[in-house]
């Protein structure tokens, strides 16, 4: 019973970590896109 609970918590943690990584990567792309648009507007 305890092993199943620990396994479920570990699996949930891995899934949450993976989704957070994708979110941060997407936010980085958005920031880069905004910076590029700003440079294009200046030039």
């Amino acid at each position: 019973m305890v092993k199943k609970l620990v396994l479920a918590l570990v699996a949930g943690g891995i899934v949450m970590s993976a989704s957070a990584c994708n979110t941060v990567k997407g936010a980085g792309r958005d920031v880069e896109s905004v910076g590029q648009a700003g440079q294009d507007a200046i030039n």
Side-chain angles (χ1 to χ4, degrees), residues 35-43:
Q36 185 64 41
Q39 282 184 339
D40 291 345
I42 291 170
N43 294 332

Side-chain angles (χ1 to χ4, degrees), residues 6-22:
V6 170
L7 180 61
L9 290 174
V10 169
I14 290 170
V15 169
M16 294 297 274
S17 297
S19 65
C21 181
N22 288 335

